[in-house]
Amino acid sequence: MGIFPGFGGWINLNTQDPLKASKRSMNGKSSSDSEEDRYIQGPWYWDPDLSPKEKAKSVELDHVRSMPLLATDPKYYDFDELVRQDKLWNSENKKHPWKDAPAKVKVKTKKGLSHLNIDFTLGSPPQAVFEMFTDPRNSGVFHPMGKYLWRTRLDTLATKVLKKDGPRQITEVEKVLRWKILGYNGAIPIHVIIDENHQKVTATYKKVKVKHMKVFEGSWKIQPLYVDQQRLCKSRSRISEEKYKKCSGGKGRIGSKVTMEHIFQPSSLLNVPPVSWFIRGVAVKFTKALLQDLREHVISMNNMKTVDPLVYAKIKESIQKKKEKEAKLKESEY
């Protein structure tokens, strides 16, 4: 039986046979939410340590959101090392806590075009962070908005893989960003094309359609951060991962340094002061809120213990059914 580490529930999964979506997810029907939880496409990959019987039990969960699956292709990185790093973060974090500083967001605007340059760190290896960024399920990453716990700040509604060429994958993604300002709340639909590289852990994205936006695009890259280098290697100079592993005696944790650029421009009617100032301020506020959600998620996952994949999946399914039951009761009240 494979293990299922706490961080996001996907670190100890490996590539085997891609899993097709369940009937429920393909039909796109969900009684728990008025927004349809449409087909979330893979490819998905099984944990190779799972037996056929355990895989069959996982399939019985009947929803891709509840299954112990991996979204990125692990044949393009050292999977065993990623698993080892995940365990290391769980064990060493109690002895030597690592706290990620809040993200630094710089804003520059020229000729109506706003550039957000973002730098931050996370206490998890680059490939694990990349998985968190690209997994359309976003399980438990973002904070809930409103009375329904499954409606989070940023949700994926649908994905469609347009091209898969080695480590490169181009995916069409529909998301919804929920907001709340001065007692008012709403949702902004976001429809983008994401060009990912699973080996270089980089990505670019560009809008298909985003409400009230003329330009909406950006990129991100993730680099390793040797967080225990000074403590274990007594050095601050730039070193390779191999050297870091050697000088730390295999006990050095690897975190992530993330660099993002987000470029946006409101539609012509809204790109005039003072409306443009307000939109720019709100965009920065939303971005910081999402980044803080990521930061808090990683911190909480590093403090969790390792659990069995099927146990974790069943717990998630139980919670999902409870939410659906609550939703039906609410609907019956009206």
Side-chain angles (χ1 to χ4, degrees):
M1 177 178 288
I3 59 173
F4 202 62
F7 186 17
W10 23 253
I11 303 304
N12 195 38
L13 306 175
N14 201 351
T15 181
Q16 188 73 6
D17 299 318
L19 176 75
K20 295 182 179 179
S22 65
K23 292 181 180 179
R24 179 180 173 187
S25 59
M26 290 182 68
N27 291 337
K29 295 180 180 179
S30 175
S31 59
S32 63
D33 202 330
S34 59
E35 296 166 347
E36 288 186 347
D37 182 18
R38 288 171 288 174
Y39 182 25
I40 304 296
Q41 284 193 0
W44 305 105
Y45 302 92
W46 283 111
D47 179 346
D49 293 331
L50 290 178
S51 67
K53 185 177 180 181
E54 289 168 337
K55 287 183 181 180
K57 287 183 178 179
S58 291
V59 172
E60 288 174 4
L61 295 174
D62 196 38
H63 204 297
V64 71
R65 290 186 184 273
S66 302
M67 295 181 184
L69 303 168
L70 186 68
T72 55
D73 195 339
K75 70 182 179 182
Y76 295 107
Y77 57 91
D78 188 342
F79 181 77
D80 291 336
E81 175 61 17
L82 184 62
V83 174
R84 193 186 72 83
Q85 275 292 321
D86 182 64
K87 293 178 181 178
L88 196 60
W89 272 101
N90 284 140
S91 61
E92 291 295 313
N93 200 50
K94 295 178 181 178
K95 303 175 186 176
H96 305 283
W98 167 270
K99 292 186 178 180
D100 301 301
K104 296 179 180 179
V105 181
K106 295 181 180 180
V107 186
K108 293 182 180 180
T109 303
K110 186 176 182 181
K111 296 182 179 180
L113 204 62
S114 295
H115 293 252
L116 270 64
N117 295 301
I118 306 162
D119 292 288
F120 60 99
T121 61
L122 290 173
S124 191
Q127 192 63 46
V129 173
F130 188 76
E131 171 76 15
M132 182 170 61
F133 286 179
T134 55
D135 189 337
R137 296 169 295 184
N138 292 133
S139 180
V141 175
F142 299 106
H143 283 195
M145 299 289 285
K147 57 184 178 180
Y148 299 118
L149 295 178
W150 63 88
R151 291 186 177 183
T152 57
R153 200 189 309 273
L154 183 65
D155 266 340
T156 302
L157 301 181
T159 66
K160 182 180 180 181
V161 177
L162 303 179
K163 183 179 181 180
K164 183 75 167 69
D165 183 14
R168 187 186 180 198
Q169 180 173 304
I170 300 176
T171 310
E172 185 176 358
V173 181
E174 292 180 53
K175 292 180 177 286
V176 59
L177 174 66
R178 297 186 177 88
W179 57 266
K180 187 175 184 180
I181 302 176
L182 301 175
Y184 295 92
N185 57 73
I188 302 172
I190 299 173
H191 189 179
V192 294
I193 300 291
I194 303 178
D195 190 341
E196 311 163 6
N197 190 306
H198 295 179
Q199 189 171 34
K200 296 181 179 179
V201 287
T202 60
T204 60
Y205 60 90
K206 195 168 185 177
K207 83 174 183 77
V208 176
K209 184 177 182 181
V210 180
K211 193 174 183 180
H212 304 314
M213 287 290 168
K214 181 180 179 181
V215 178
F216 190 93
E217 61 190 45
S219 63
W220 72 74
K221 66 177 181 179
I222 309 170
Q223 297 173 300
L225 179 66
Y226 305 134
V227 301
D228 295 316
Q229 182 178 345
Q230 186 177 354
R231 180 173 64 86
L232 298 177
C233 301
K234 312 301 180 184
S235 169
R236 291 186 177 181
S237 59
R238 192 171 182 178
I239 59 177
S240 65
E241 183 176 339
E242 184 179 352
K243 189 174 181 179
Y244 175 61
K245 187 176 181 180
K246 185 177 180 180
C247 68
S248 67
K251 296 181 179 180
R253 292 167 295 178
I254 300 177
S256 295
K257 179 182 178 182
V258 185
T259 303
M260 289 183 168
E261 182 181 28
H262 180 55
I263 305 169
F264 69 93
Q265 181 178 12
S267 56
S268 300
L269 294 176
L270 300 176
N271 200 24
V272 291
V275 178
S276 60
W277 300 341
F278 175 76
I279 292 175
R280 187 162 58 248
V282 168
V284 173
K285 182 178 179 180
F286 288 169
T287 300
K288 287 183 175 180
L290 291 170
L291 294 175
Q292 183 61 20
D293 286 353
L294 290 170
R295 177 174 173 266
E296 292 177 5
H297 176 72
V298 173
I299 291 173
S300 66
M301 291 300 102
N302 281 339
N303 292 328
M304 287 180 65
K305 294 181 180 179
T306 299
V307 295
D308 182 87
L310 294 180
V311 172
Y312 181 82
K314 287 177 180 178
I315 291 172
K316 287 185 65 177
E317 184 188 31
S318 177
I319 293 172
Q320 182 69 22
K321 287 181 178 180
K322 185 177 180 181
K323 290 176 181 178
E324 291 177 2
K325 187 176 180 180
E326 290 175 354
K328 288 180 179 180
L329 288 174
K330 288 286 185 181
E331 291 174 2
S332 65
E333 292 176 0
Y334 296 98

